[in-house]
Amino acid sequence: MFIKQISVFLENRTGRLQEVLSVLKKNEINIVSASLADSSEYGLLRLLVNDTEKATKVLKENGFTASANQIIALVIPHKVGSLVEVTNCINQAGINIEYMYGLSTGIQGAAIAIKTSDLEKTIEVLESIHPKYYTDEEIAQVGR
């Protein structure tokens, strides 16, 4: 139920994002979803890709600080209150949502990637709303 995500630490300067994207393109790695958060000096690029291990390896080989970690990706129906239902389950269990971002995965519903302070417990508490989760294999197939 967990999927792998790459986090890339970037200097906040012109062209740095382009360098990352070019390395991935050169190595035929498909980006399924991306999120970029910034501060005045640095940024954190989070990516879901079709081959996490290869992407992490080639980014490191090209001088980027990159690491892979686990997150949860789930479908949220297109209806009012769906996101609050998910976050309520997590909050009531005392789990901190560290970050979350939207995914572009299709029209079945909205999709989010979410990182919490306790992934195992998050899966447990979300079972009450019966979410559909994505797998690494499904993420790898996007765009093929």
Side-chain angles (χ1 to χ4, degrees), residues 61-74:
E61 289 173 353
N62 283 273
F64 295 99
T65 302
S67 62
N69 66 321
Q70 292 186 319
I71 61 167
I72 299 166
L74 61 141

Side-chain angles (χ1 to χ4, degrees), residues 14-120:
T14 303
R16 196 66 172 149
L17 176 61
Q18 186 65 30
E19 293 169 15
V20 169
L21 300 178
S22 294
V23 166
L24 296 175
K25 178 183 176 188
K26 177 181 173 186
N27 287 276
E28 298 185 7
I29 296 167
N30 183 42
I31 298 169
V32 175
S33 192
S35 170
L36 180 61
D38 71 323
S39 67
S40 60
E41 295 182 28
Y42 297 97
L44 185 59
L45 176 63
R46 292 184 173 108
L47 301 168
L48 299 182
V49 299
N50 65 323
D51 190 337
T52 305
E53 291 176 25
K54 181 179 177 183
T56 304
K57 180 179 180 276
V58 299
L59 288 168
K60 287 180 177 181
E61 289 173 353
N62 283 273
F64 295 99
T65 302
S67 62
N69 66 321
Q70 292 186 319
I71 61 167
I72 299 166
L74 61 141
V75 174
I76 298 176
H78 283 299
K79 68 177 187 173
V80 173
S82 295
L83 182 57
V84 76
E85 186 175 25
V86 170
T87 59
N88 190 47
C89 284
I90 297 167
N91 185 56
Q92 287 183 348
I95 301 169
N96 180 46
I97 297 173
E98 297 175 5
Y99 59 84
M100 158 175 97
Y101 56 93
L103 305 176
S104 54
T105 55
I107 60 171
Q108 298 174 352
I112 60 168
I114 189 168
K115 174 72 167 79
T116 67
S117 58
D118 188 335
L119 293 174
E120 294 283 345

